[in-house]
Amino acid sequence: MDLYQELIIDHSKRPIRMGLREPFDAEVHHVNPTCGDEITLRVDRDGETLTDISYDSLGCSISVASASMLAELLTGEDLDTARHTYAAIRSMLTSKGEDPGDEDVIGDAIALAGVAKYPARVKCALLSWMALAEALAKTGVNLSEESHD
Amino acid sequence: MTVHAPAPIAFGDQERARIRADFPILGRTVRHGHPLIYLDSGATSQKPYAVIDAERDWYERLNAAPHRGAHALSEEGTEAYEAARATVARFIGARPSEIVFTKNATESINLAAYAFSNSAAGGGGRDDRFRLGPGDEIVVTEMEHHANLIPWQELSKRTGATLKWFSVDDDGRLDLSAIDDVITERTKVVAFVHASNVLGTINPVEVIVARAREVGAIVVLDACQSVPHLPVDVTDLGVDLLAFSGHKMLGPMGVGVLWGKPEILEQMPVFLTGGSMIETVSMDGATYAPVPQKFEAGVPNAAQAVGLAAACDYLSNLGMDKVSAHEHALTGILLDGLRERPWTRLIGPDSLENRGGAVSFVVDGVHAHDVGQILDDHGVAVRVGHHCAWPLHRRFRAAATTRASLAPYNTPEEIGAFFAALDTVPGVFGIEV
Ligand SMILES: Cc1ncc(COP(=O)(O)O)c(C=O)c1O
């Protein structure tokens, strides 16, 4: 089936930058109440730069892989990149398959494109991204805000 | 020759084919043309034509508000609704006046829990058995569905009573070794599940009822997973209140039952109030109708009640003994199959003794969601997650499990197809077996 791309399996088995680290500015815990998947996610921010994103994730391959891709994509990046990426991921995942995703923007997370066709799994893929948005909100940053270039 | 003769399948080939033909949905395909293999009846069962037709017939011929008005339709509708109550009562060995129609088991249990707290708040009735306060105790078990846990947690918060529970052992059986310390003179309510929706365990009702009787506690039984699958007779069980859902027993969604001993229902304070449940009303207050009407406020779900009666008739025609034997044999095939696959771990008793047809397991190294997705890709519908029993999953250190659950329309061939699909799981996730 097209859902379980190699990249998803790889990320889920060897999640990148997994584990909770210090220092951090904000920590959140998100749960998917329908299946019990959980993530604890921390962000450390230096001005506009996301210096560290660390996490502990317990869940299905889709939710763990998505967290791993998030950490790989956004660690060391600036907030504008984070906003772009977040918007692109959300658009792809919630498009029911109409937005195929742009690999240049979302990197390995392009492998999650197939998830959009399984409404029950979209929440799995979004779990870490929602956690990131809330963690950043705790530091005073709105991830959904349009960036003003 | 195998050493063990396989358990006989109660419904033979022809009978199985006939039963399956009664369920239109079983003829459809899913996900790229796979025939549907429905092993999720524990969540909700499929419906035979008899049930679909009964509900349709209500709307086509009888639709009117029961117990309101004196025109011809209202009379016929009332008759059909009350006949449905009588059929459901017969199905569990009860009298019609002991059957309260609700929306589902969740509402049935909440009805009881709120009736108790209305009593604590001074509403209706002077019966002390229903009045809880600080120092009183409510007893549940660690294997409860959230529907039979949270209403009691909330009742304990509202009244100051203490919530206690029986724990579950590694085999998935209740640990009743300290029953006299768990159920004490302070216990006012004991609420527990008859057949676990996760473990399959059938609990020893008589043991718990005997202890509850010694201390005068009211016993509430969650029979959601027993009434659809086993012959259940409320007088044999000896409990005070019993809840189940129509949609899990081939009936429609939107109808459930709270059965109660007459003496309990009569004394129990009301929960929902309004039309249809009254005797007289003035601006200062009201008196209430006799049971069961005093618990059925508002225009009822009559079409669904009639559908549920059709489901009871359908099951009675199959014979609950045969239904139970059939599902027992299939459960045996499921347990054997899991045992042959050491990369799976069963959560629940690995024996057919006192066991229903909910079979939950984990696949080492693969999350249940992923297992379910692969099965789904083969047209096999199972439940994944915590099945509304989160504390139980914590107890077994499983974030989620995969559950196959049975109904009379399932076949050994379907179990075979389930295992064939399951065998593709390790490969997809690179697990060595
Ligand atoms: C054991 C058990 N209790 C209670 C319930 C609640 O049933 P319902 O959701 O139909 O109210 C269920 C099913 O979901 C169940 O399996």
Side-chain angles (χ1 to χ4, degrees), chain B residues 20-274:
Chain B
R20 290 184 66 80
D22 288 334
F23 292 79
I25 209 168
L26 299 180
R28 69 161 281 185
T29 59
V30 290
R31 306 261 191 236
H32 354 281
H34 287 287
L36 170 66
I37 293 173
Y38 191 76
L39 296 175
D40 196 19
S41 298
T44 196
S45 66
Q46 297 304 346
K47 327 298 176 198
Y49 281 114
V51 168
I52 301 167
D53 291 347
E55 206 173 335
R56 166 190 292 270
D57 181 63
W58 167 274
Y59 287 119
E60 285 184 349
R61 275 192 329 112
L62 299 169
N63 185 51
H67 294 298
R68 292 185 185 180
H71 55 73
L73 281 191
S74 172
E75 266 173 20
E76 287 181 34
T78 303
E79 226 165 82
Y81 180 57
E82 292 306 325
R85 193 191 306 280
T87 302
V88 173
R90 214 162 31 241
F91 189 70
I92 57 167
R95 278 174 292 192
S97 59
E98 299 161 6
I99 299 290
V100 177
F101 284 123
T102 60
K103 177 174 74 164
N104 49 30
T106 303
E107 186 184 303
S108 302
I109 296 165
N110 275 278
L111 190 167
Y114 274 97
F116 279 82
S117 64
N118 286 343
S119 184
R126 263 172 293 279
D127 195 324
D128 256 0
R129 286 175 304 171
F130 299 103
R131 191 169 304 142
L132 281 83
D136 291 330
E137 292 173 354
I138 303 169
V139 172
V140 295
T141 83
E142 205 180 10
M143 66 167 77
E144 295 314 308
H145 187 283
H146 297 163
N148 199 33
L149 172 62
I150 303 172
W152 305 115
Q153 289 177 345
E154 286 293 319
L155 178 64
S156 84
K157 277 194 222 156
R158 289 195 299 270
T159 59
T162 305
L163 187 75
K164 292 166 74 176
W165 55 88
F166 288 108
S167 53
V168 171
D169 69 17
D170 289 342
D171 289 336
R173 305 278 183 191
L174 284 183
D175 177 2
L176 297 176
S177 55
I179 187 167
D180 291 350
D181 300 327
V182 178
I183 300 178
T184 70
E185 294 294 334
R186 289 186 294 278
T187 307
K188 285 262 172 119
V189 191
V190 181
F192 67 101
V193 70
H194 194 186
S196 162
N197 65 314
V198 177
L199 306 165
T201 309
I202 296 175
N203 288 317
V205 178
E206 63 295 344
V207 176
I208 297 172
V209 166
R211 176 61 187 152
R213 287 287 161 263
E214 285 173 10
V215 302
I218 290 178
V219 180
V220 182
L221 191 67
D222 173 355
C224 263
Q225 301 290 348
S226 55
V227 167
H229 306 291
L230 314 166
V232 167
D233 187 306
V234 288
T235 44
D236 292 347
L237 288 172
V239 300
D240 296 300
L241 294 163
L242 174 144
F244 56 97
S245 283
H247 70 91
K248 293 181 195 287
M249 52 186 290
L250 317 184
M253 289 186 175
V255 62
V257 170
L258 177 68
W259 168 86
K261 276 190 180 152
E263 173 268 321
I264 292 283
L265 289 183
E266 271 152 32
Q267 297 303 318
M268 195 163 84
V270 297
F271 165 42
L272 296 174
T273 55

